[in-house]
Amino acid sequence: MDREAIGDAHALLPHIFTDWFAGRGWAPRAHQLGVLAAARPGAAILLVAPTGGGKTLAGFLPSLVDLAGRAAPRPGEVGRGLHTLYISPLKALAVDVARNLEEPVAEMGLPISVETRTGDTPAAKKGRQRRNPPDILLTTPEQLALLLSFHDADRMFRHLKAVVIDEVHALWTTKRGDLLALDLARLDRLAPKAWRIGLSATIADRPGLARWLGGERPVTPVEGAPGAPPQLTVLQSEAHVPWSGHSARHSYPELMNAIRGATTALVFVNTRSQAELIFQNLWRINDDGLPIALHHGSLAPEQRRKVEAAMAKGRLRAVVATSTLDLGIDWGAVDLVIQVGAPKGCSRMVQRIGRANHRLDEPSRALLVPANRFEFMECRAAVEAVAEGALDGDGPRTGALDVLAQHIMGMAVAGGFNADQLYDEIRTAAPYAAMERDAFDAVLDFVATGGYALKSYERWRRLARDANGVWKPVHAAVARRYRLNIGTIVEVPMISVRLNGGRVLGQVEEAFIEALTPGDSFVFAGEVLRFDALRETSAIVSRSTDAEPKVPSYAGGKFPLSTFLADRVRRLLADGPDHPGLPPPVAEWLAIQKRRSLLPRPDQLLIETFPRAKRFYMVAYPFEGRLAHQTLGMLLTRRMERRRLKPLGFVASEYALAVWSLEDAGRVDLGELFDQDMLGDDLEDWLAESNLMKRTFRNVALISGLIERRHPGQEKNGRQVTFSTDLIYDVLRRHQPDHVLMKATWADAATGLLDVRRLGEMLGRAAGHIVHRRLERVSPLAVPVLLDIGREAVPGGAIDDLLSEAAEDLIAEAMME
């Protein structure tokens, strides 16, 4: 944005706004004026500005200026119609932004109404918002899809002037981003002149994101001034740094000291169960009685709102949180971010750092607390990447077919559609711009009839064409069920946790509760609870004082190690003990590895083999993340079975894969064993027997609407959903393997549970660069993966005590050296 345009925008800023800025001792920032200058009918703007730089206000400034000049409706009069639609990936962020937006509106006395709409909004208020929308509505992608599915969507959005998409980087490479892109294409038809503004503090692929944001529109980039560089520190604990594990238990006293030294600290962890564990342990050593809270997505909405309100008022000294607080929340009192466990990605780390100290002229402070030695290297690599300003993230994706199926149904229940017109419309959404007509027709046929293999079943006959060629639902129940199941976030089946005779604390996995017996205890909502009974859809619990409770096991929340960060960890490993910033225990660990085996170059795949206790071990170090390593483990053990190596089991971590067997894998050609062709017939054969593809298909079936979990007045439990999808999967695999949903399942498998694409890239890179070290005993690098949790059994046997014995032997030897 050039200076002349910014100057023109400053002239457009009404005195009431310049006076408000001046009253706060501020001046409008250049990027705020740049957005104001660029916001014209039909424009698309991508604003990249650091947290604390007035990014959100910049997104709303054109709307506030435009609305300030309009007359407010008289009491009892219908409003002016929806002017600005704000879309956030998080409910908490939408609520927080609304609160921050209401402040300048009230202080300037602007006649502007601001409301939020999320899944927690009362039904009566949602109905009123459709009939008489506010000037500015803050919502989520799922709620937008719901609003567009009603017959009166045209009336609600016809006066729309602006769409603001916050934290756009968190959406555009996901299925939620696919659905939002399709809904933006529909908004373009309803309100073609509405300007569109995307906001983000971290973008790795700006051209790709700009194409997603703009669709067919040209995008104007606006850049905010960089803030002070963040201050990142990796905790060099005085305690023994563990070989493995994810609890960071050794660092709890130092973690508590860091909280004492901060005004308010946000303690981020990577999983909900980890949040429960760390909160409990911090509370036990909280001798000063500091107010510390817990926040994650399984807690009851009322509990989360209480924590958010207390944070906003500065009443808490620390909050232990998951990704529910990653994005955008503006709490000025937060002056320290603590990341427990490795961050798994640079962009995620930058986003979390941005939660501290929302002032451009002062650096944000962050403390990284690695849980084990490999994580120390990952934290070190992340700190160096952030210092260089490097970011990671996925690139553009091809739009998912199951998401398109859901959108097609939404357009049908909204009043129907002409197939030719809808095809042209969806191709204006970047993820679907290259979609061929026959692929679109196949998805439409699935939505209407279930597809070739299912069309004889009446339950999947959902759409039909009328005399004018318009596709509409065959009966009203189709629309009701669709609206109950909107969205692309598929959560595992959950059970409410309710105090005996009291309130609901939140939800935990159905499978976890089913594994409990009355009297068992577990940690949830920051308390130790005793399981009393299962009544309908609620686990009845009472408070307990057990010293060693179980911890809920949540399926969601595990972040994979990013490819970008994995490359940096490989380079750091190649430097070994000479890399600056490594604490003595980690440097010593790498030095012993260098003497006993090898520290591989970044382009090498190190494979170690060694015997122990009449078993043989093979450990590889791909650094491609747990998902890719688990798939590699399953495929390798199949190959080893055919070569009569008699594999017994494997264990996969973020960094390595270990397989143990009765015969020595080191005696075969490892280049052939790790050949990329395992992703052909071996993968096909394994998937034919594996439940992983069925799990992936289950998610695809739910998103596409093939199976509807929620029905009016009832909801299927997890077992019922799985039974239904497993049966359909078997039918399609036998009778229509090229069905739309089978294609969608394979596409998801490439980057989801199986991470086949990343595994294929690794095997291709390793061809000709495998380095084999035949050892007499376990190496230092192998100890963490052998002690890691998540061991997978392979039919043929198990080893119960070997892992701990190997670690004890190595520790003793390391001390002698």
Side-chain angles (χ1 to χ4, degrees), residues 31 65 111 145 210 234 295-296 354 497 534 571 582 615 647 661 700 730:
H31 64 270
V65 169
V234 181
H295 192 289
H296 62 68
V497 179
L534 181 61
R571 293 202 295 269
L582 298 180
R615 300 291 187 270
S661 58
V700 167
D730 290 336

Side-chain angles (χ1 to χ4, degrees), residues 493 508-516 521-523 550-553:
V508 297
E509 291 171 1
E510 181 181 84
F512 176 79
I513 291 295
E514 289 177 345
L516 299 178
S521 60
F522 62 101
V523 175
K550 294 183 179 181
V551 176
S553 174

Side-chain angles (χ1 to χ4, degrees), residues 221-261:
V222 178
E223 190 90 21
Q231 294 179 353
L232 275 70
T233 305
V234 181
L235 177 67
Q236 298 207 16
S237 177
E238 296 180 2
H240 173 75
V241 181
W243 298 91
S244 65
H246 304 283
S247 68
R249 193 184 306 272
H250 68 288
S251 65
Y252 290 162
E254 292 155 308
L255 193 55
M256 197 68 225
N257 285 335
I259 292 171
R260 290 190 187 99

Side-chain angles (χ1 to χ4, degrees), residues 375-529:
E375 283 198 353
F376 194 98
M377 292 196 296
E378 186 182 334
C379 288
R380 186 73 245 162
V383 167
E384 293 170 5
V386 171
E388 296 170 13
L391 296 171
D392 54 13
D394 296 326
R397 55 176 277 132
T398 300
L401 298 179
D402 52 342
V403 176
L404 178 58
Q406 183 182 131
H407 180 73
I408 289 174
M409 179 60 79
M411 297 303 95
V413 304
F417 61 84
N418 172 279
D420 294 337
Q421 293 173 358
L422 184 60
Y423 174 66
D424 291 340
E425 179 180 305
I426 66 107
R427 279 168 52 89
T428 66
Y432 298 92
M435 170 159 273
E436 299 291 342
R437 180 58 191 256
D438 59 350
F440 171 82
D441 288 339
V443 178
L444 173 56
D445 181 54
F446 155 69
V447 177
T449 70
Y452 170 77
L454 302 175
K455 64 173 53 183
S456 61
Y457 296 91
E458 183 66 22
R459 62 176 294 188
W460 285 301
R461 184 177 175 274
R462 296 173 292 179
L463 301 185
R465 274 184 293 190
D466 65 13
N468 297 316
V470 175
W471 289 90
K472 293 182 178 181
V474 295
H475 47 75
V478 171
R480 290 195 296 270
R481 294 200 303 267
Y482 165 79
R483 294 189 180 111
L484 286 172
N485 291 278
I486 282 177
T488 64
I489 301 174
V490 179
E491 296 186 351
V492 294
M494 305 292 277
I495 292 287
S496 294
V497 179
R498 182 184 294 274
L499 282 173
N500 201 339
R503 61 190 176 90
V504 173
L505 300 177
Q507 295 181 314
V508 297
E509 291 171 1
E510 181 181 84
F512 176 79
I513 291 295
E514 289 177 345
L516 299 178
T517 57
D520 285 348
S521 60
F522 62 101
V523 175
F524 185 70
E527 301 184 73
V528 180
L529 306 172

Side-chain angles (χ1 to χ4, degrees), residues 200-279:
S200 183
T202 57
I203 299 176
D205 181 3
R206 297 193 184 190
L209 196 154
R211 286 193 296 274
W212 179 91
L213 175 67
E216 294 186 325
R217 307 178 183 194
V219 175
T220 301
V222 178
E223 190 90 21
Q231 294 179 353
L232 275 70
T233 305
V234 181
L235 177 67
Q236 298 207 16
S237 177
E238 296 180 2
H240 173 75
V241 181
W243 298 91
S244 65
H246 304 283
S247 68
R249 193 184 306 272
H250 68 288
S251 65
Y252 290 162
E254 292 155 308
L255 193 55
M256 197 68 225
N257 285 335
I259 292 171
R260 290 190 187 99
T263 302
T264 304
L266 271 180
V267 182
F268 279 114
V269 298
N270 292 334
T271 67
R272 298 174 186 179
S273 55
Q274 193 180 19
E276 293 279 358
L277 178 67
I278 289 175
F279 176 80

Side-chain angles (χ1 to χ4, degrees), residues 634-805:
M634 293 302 299
L635 297 178
L636 278 176
T637 52
R638 292 180 65 87
R639 289 196 156 191
M640 292 171 68
E641 284 283 3
R642 290 203 302 271
R643 287 162 175 76
R644 302 183 185 280
L645 295 174
K646 302 176 183 177
L648 300 173
F650 73 88
V651 58
S653 73
E654 291 288 336
Y655 316 102
L657 168 72
V659 183
W660 55 96
S661 58
L662 291 176
E663 300 293 337
D664 183 10
R667 64 179 172 82
V668 304
D669 184 342
L670 293 181
E672 181 183 345
L673 191 64
F674 280 78
D675 194 280
Q676 197 172 7
D677 64 6
M678 74 169 68
L679 299 181
D681 291 342
D682 281 327
L683 181 61
E684 292 273 2
D685 293 343
W686 170 51
L687 292 179
E689 305 167 4
S690 170
N691 284 323
L692 285 178
M693 278 295 276
K694 288 186 176 181
R695 287 170 59 192
T696 305
F697 180 81
R698 175 185 180 276
N699 293 347
V700 167
L702 288 167
I703 291 171
S704 68
L706 178 71
I707 296 295
E708 293 149 331
R709 183 172 176 184
R710 299 179 189 88
H711 291 254
Q714 60 178 322
E715 182 170 339
K716 290 184 178 181
N717 62 34
R719 188 176 290 109
Q720 290 171 323
V721 170
T722 300
F723 179 75
S724 300
T725 57
D726 282 359
L727 286 176
I728 298 171
Y729 175 82
D730 290 336
V731 169
L732 294 181
R733 192 163 65 84
R734 284 196 304 269
H735 301 293
Q736 195 183 357
D738 63 344
H739 189 277
V740 163
L741 296 194
M742 298 298 282
K743 292 179 179 179
T745 300
W746 270 102
D748 279 8
T751 55
L753 286 173
L754 307 181
D755 216 349
V756 174
R757 184 177 65 186
R758 188 166 174 182
L759 175 58
E761 292 171 353
M762 184 280 293
L763 293 173
R765 187 175 64 245
H769 294 86
I770 292 176
V771 181
H772 177 207
R773 284 292 183 269
R774 185 181 292 276
L775 308 175
E776 295 181 359
R777 52 189 176 273
V778 62
S779 73
L781 281 190
V783 170
V785 67
L786 292 180
L787 292 177
D788 204 6
I789 59 174
R791 186 171 63 201
E792 299 289 342
V794 174
I799 302 170
D800 296 325
D801 58 351
L802 181 59
L803 302 182
S804 57
E805 288 179 6

Side-chain angles (χ1 to χ4, degrees), residues 13-28:
L13 201 63
H15 289 301
I16 191 171
F17 286 87
T18 56
D19 292 346
W20 179 78
F21 276 108
R24 293 194 157 218
W26 298 348

